[in-house]
Amino acid sequence: MRKTILIYGASMAGLIGMMKYIEYRYLIRDFSIEFYVGVVAIFFTMIGIWAGFRLTRKKVVIVGAPFALDEDKLQQLGISRREYEVLELIAVGHSNQEIADKLFVSVNTVKTHLANLFLKLDVSRRTQAIQKAKSFRLIP
Amino acid sequence: MRKTILIYGASMAGLIGMMKYIEYRYLIRDFSIEFYVGVVAIFFTMIGIWAGFRLTRKKVVIVGAPFALDEDKLQQLGISRREYEVLELIAVGHSNQEIADKLFVSVNTVKTHLANLFLKLDVSRRTQAIQKAKSFRLIP
DNA sequence: GGCTAATTCATACTTTCGGGTGAAGATTTC
DNA sequence: GAAATCTTCACCCGAAAGTATGAATTAGCC
């Protein structure tokens, strides 16, 4: 951002300097105001467009690769830590038993977590839960 | 796009007209060239930025979407059409029964396809199959 | 025509999931 | 300290999913 401002300022100074230079160097004093306005308008419109690209480029990147957990959505749905852990594990394809082993709890516990999760996500199968969780950006 | 150009042209005309108006209306003829350049520069930079946003917005949408099926991988794994259809449907969270209804076959058939699919993908659960299929770029 | 692969289906059996209910301890919140 | 929430676990039952085996049909290929 600082770089952008610097380049912008330098361009502005450069343009004005250039015009002054032409004006005095060749003693051409009768550039019409419209000419100035035109040149400046076109030039700074281009700079503006370039700046616009600059400002939006970040958004483009975000959509592509990285994943940001939507914690608001988590709270909004009332999903607890433990439930979220289970969600992450079913998303990777683990069975209830495997999840129980990983979390050092019984299968029954995993089942309860899942049942609550299904309620909160409003689904009835783990595959649907994964699907929905992804659309909510709860998991990558 | 046409709308953008129209708005752009109208803005330009409006600005010049406004300046001329002020100039003649109040007989203020000594606006410095720097003043004009400044106003025009700022104004058109803003327009340019706005245009830049306009131009990039579409790209943002495009980046999110694309998915290219890796057909080579499909053949490499020896996955048939029907098996692939079933794969697509389990990925969306459908049950075997639902898939059977959608494809107008019996649940047993779906099970057979799935069993073969699991062999070819080297997994034992549908969630794992989805996971692996995504990593192979077989499904979005 | 014969071969192979794909698609279809069935039957039977095991395992996993999901739903429902209840309940106890821990932690947080008011 | 009482209420609410979270975490934990148990038991039961039925439905869904997965495994194994066998078999009929269709379609494509040489």
Side-chain angles (χ1 to χ4, degrees):
Chain A
M1 195 62 204
R2 223 174 316 162
K3 207 165 101 186
T4 305
I5 293 174
L6 283 178
I7 293 175
Y8 188 90
S11 304
M12 201 156 172
L15 183 72
I16 295 177
M18 197 185 71
M19 288 175 102
K20 284 288 175 197
Y21 175 76
I22 293 173
E23 194 173 351
Y24 289 115
R25 180 75 168 71
Y26 299 100
L27 300 173
I28 301 171
R29 295 186 149 274
D30 55 356
F31 276 168
S32 72
I33 194 80
E34 284 84 0
F35 177 79
Y36 275 111
V37 169
V39 170
V40 172
I42 291 171
F43 186 77
F44 280 95
T45 298
M46 289 172 72
I47 293 215
I49 290 177
W50 171 77
F53 270 91
R54 257 295 153 95
L55 291 171
T56 45
R57 193 173 300 166
K58 283 175 187 169
K59 288 184 184 174
V60 178
V61 177
I62 290 169
V63 179
F67 158 73
L69 170 61
D70 188 347
E71 301 199 39
D72 293 339
K73 196 80 193 179
L74 268 186
Q75 272 203 313
Q76 182 190 324
L77 295 173
I79 295 175
S80 70
R81 264 117 271 147
R82 216 54 169 166
E83 285 161 1
Y84 183 70
E85 291 184 72
V86 176
L87 173 60
E88 284 179 308
L89 292 173
I90 65 168
V92 204
H94 288 304
S95 72
N96 290 348
Q97 186 58 60
E98 288 170 343
I99 297 174
D101 294 342
K102 268 189 192 289
L103 298 182
F104 302 105
V105 296
S106 89
V107 192
N108 302 297
T109 307
V110 176
K111 284 188 181 186
T112 9
H113 288 321
L114 268 182
N116 292 329
L117 202 51
F118 290 165
L119 273 181
K120 291 167 182 175
L121 286 177
D122 187 33
V123 296
S124 51
R125 271 185 294 283
R126 51 177 51 211
T127 43
Q128 294 178 332
I130 298 170
Q131 186 77 358
K132 206 150 192 174
K134 292 201 176 191
S135 75
F136 284 164
R137 306 203 166 277
L138 303 180
I139 48 177
Chain B
M1 196 58 204
R2 225 174 313 160
K3 208 164 102 186
T4 304
I5 294 174
L6 282 178
I7 294 176
Y8 188 90
S11 304
M12 202 157 173
L15 183 72
I16 294 176
M18 198 185 73
M19 290 176 103
K20 284 288 174 198
Y21 176 77
I22 294 173
E23 193 173 349
Y24 288 115
R25 179 78 170 70
Y26 299 103
L27 298 173
I28 300 171
R29 296 187 148 274
D30 54 357
F31 276 169
S32 71
I33 193 79
E34 284 83 1
F35 178 79
Y36 275 110
V37 169
V39 171
V40 171
I42 292 171
F43 186 77
F44 281 93
T45 298
M46 289 171 73
I47 293 212
I49 289 177
W50 170 77
F53 269 90
R54 259 295 153 91
L55 291 170
T56 45
R57 194 170 300 166
K58 284 175 189 169
K59 286 187 182 174
V60 176
V61 179
I62 293 169
V63 176
F67 158 74
L69 169 63
D70 188 346
E71 302 199 39
D72 293 338
K73 197 81 192 176
L74 269 186
Q75 273 202 312
Q76 183 189 324
L77 295 172
I79 295 175
S80 70
R81 264 118 278 160
R82 214 53 167 167
E83 284 161 1
Y84 182 69
E85 291 184 74
V86 176
L87 173 60
E88 284 179 308
L89 292 173
I90 65 169
V92 206
H94 287 305
S95 70
N96 290 349
Q97 186 58 61
E98 289 170 343
I99 297 173
D101 294 343
K102 268 189 193 290
L103 298 183
F104 300 107
V105 295
S106 89
V107 192
N108 301 298
T109 307
V110 175
K111 285 187 180 185
T112 320
H113 288 321
L114 270 181
N116 293 328
L117 203 50
F118 291 165
L119 273 180
K120 291 168 182 175
L121 286 177
D122 187 33
V123 295
S124 51
R125 271 183 293 283
R126 51 177 51 213
T127 42
Q128 294 179 331
I130 297 170
Q131 186 76 0
K132 206 149 192 175
K134 292 201 177 191
S135 76
F136 285 164
R137 304 203 168 281
L138 302 180
I139 49 178

